[in-house]
């Protein structure tokens, strides 16, 4: 016969058992990624705090060989979950062997950039304009292993003696492969619509919208990663080049300042791009490529409002994926041949400003 005390103990045990079963039935909050195989990894989850990432420099030819570089707290992730956040950039050839924070977008004042109408900053740190011509293509870089062409769009405003032009598309040839990316023709700009189109080996290429959405070629020779939900990408050709691209319109404010006389049926969506070259030969050519040669003497006039680089006749190609300009040196048959590579200086920094130019454009200096 149970006593009152033993009955109380039994009820207590039953309550404990029921509470335990209820607890076990609840989803765990400790590690949601372990129980949800389709969930994004921690580095891609917005509003979460994770320890700063670390990168090991394993290339013995770099300045920071055998060093572990830790991302700063201000930008702890190499690929932040939000496109608005600054990313951690690590260069194993940097003098200080320290990471820096910056946005994953083209720096239009940095070396290797091509933006606006179009304005370039060459490998020698000199800023210049190359106008080209409307609806024609020109070689930006022509080297033994790859070629980059650009198709220009534009118009000639009433009373002007030249076209205003912008880069509308880029075409790449490397080995026997080809890749293009282009801005669509748009009447009215809408940030909520993706205006980039791609092809790979002359076939349409679809890259799913979404920040960090990535496409990789089956042979691993090309990677395209969105650095925003739409209209921004990072393209990588391993061991050769990597570059950031934005597609943007000519805004009403740009039109007002420069008097482009933009019509109502076309906002001239165009590309802003910045290249980082990992391997160039001593013979590299092209509007931009030639400026990386150590023997190149830049002919543009310094200190003027618009220093212009000529050479349309030397760099004009018959199409976006042709290497038939007068100065082009790329050939798919010879792309595997050994060449003398340039020693690229990744530590060189260029500063561009309009504050000291007395109203005459932009001044760049090392």
């Amino acid at each position: 016969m149970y006593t009152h005390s033993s009955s109380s103990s039994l009820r207590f045990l039953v309550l404990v058992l029921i509470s335990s079963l209820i607890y076990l039935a609840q989803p765990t909050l400790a590690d949601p990624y372990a129980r949800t195989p389709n969930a994004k990894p921690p580095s891609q989850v917005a509003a979460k705090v994770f320890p700063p990432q670390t990168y090991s420099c394993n290339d013995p030819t770099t300045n920071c060989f055998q060093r572990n570089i830790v991302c700063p707290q201000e930008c702890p992730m190499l690929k932040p979950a939000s496109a608005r956040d600054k990313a951690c950039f690590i260069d194993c050839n940097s003098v200080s062997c320290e990471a820096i924070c910056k946005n994953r977008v083209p720096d239009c004042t940095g070396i290797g950039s091509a933006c606006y109408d179009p304005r370039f900053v060459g490998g020698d740190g000199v800023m210049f304009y190359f106008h080209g011509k409307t609806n024609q293509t020109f070689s930006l870089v022509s080297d033994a292993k790859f070629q980059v062409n650009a198709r220009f769009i534009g118009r000639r405003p009433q009373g002007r003696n030249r076209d205003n032009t912008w880069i509308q598309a880029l075409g790449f040839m490397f080995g026997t492969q080809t890749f293009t990316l282009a801005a669509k023709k748009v009447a009215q700009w809408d940030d909520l619509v993706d205006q980039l189109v791609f092809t790979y080996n002359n076939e349409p290429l679809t890259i799913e919208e979404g920040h960090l959405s990535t496409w990789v070629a089956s042979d691993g020779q090309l990677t395209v990663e969105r650095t925003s939900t739409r209209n921004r990408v990072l393209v990588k050709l391993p061991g050769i080049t990597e570059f950031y691209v934005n597609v943007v319109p000519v805004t009403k404010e740009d039109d007002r300042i420069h008097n482009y006389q933009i019509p109502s049926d076309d906002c001239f969506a165009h590309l802003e791009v910045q290249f980082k070259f990992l391997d160039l030969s001593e013979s590299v050519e092209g509007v931009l490529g030639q400026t990386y040669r150590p023997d190149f003497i830049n002919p543009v006039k310094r200190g003027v409002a618009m220093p212009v680089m000529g050479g349309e006749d030397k760099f004009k190609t018959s199409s976006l994926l042709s290497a038939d300009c007068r100065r082009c040196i790329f050939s798919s048959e010879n792309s595997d041949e050994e060449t003398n590579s340039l020693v690229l200086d990744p530590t060189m920094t260029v500063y561009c400003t309009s504050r000291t130019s007395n109203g005459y454009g932009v001044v760049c200096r090392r």
Side-chain angles (χ1 to χ4, degrees), residues 28-91:
T28 179
L29 300 178
D31 186 6
Y33 309 103
R35 293 178 178 267
T36 313
N38 293 325
K40 292 183 178 180
S43 61
Q44 298 182 22
V45 180
K48 298 290 183 180
V49 178
F50 299 95
Q53 292 183 316
T54 299
Y55 185 86
S56 299
C57 295
N58 297 319
D59 186 346
T61 65
T62 59
N63 182 59
C64 307
F65 178 52
Q66 294 185 332
R67 296 280 296 273
N68 291 328
I69 302 178
V70 181
C71 295
Q73 290 289 348
E74 294 78 13
C75 57
M77 311 304 294
L78 297 169
K79 296 183 180 182
S82 172
R84 295 185 298 272
D85 293 344
K86 289 187 175 182
C88 172
F89 282 77
I90 294 175
D91 186 349

Side-chain angles (χ1 to χ4, degrees), residues 3 28 73 84 89 109 147 156 166 171 235 277-278 303 311 337:
T3 65
T28 179
Q73 290 289 348
R84 295 185 298 272
F89 282 77
T109 65
Q147 175 143 335
R156 182 169 298 189
W166 297 270
V235 181
F277 297 110
L278 308 175
E337 292 184 1

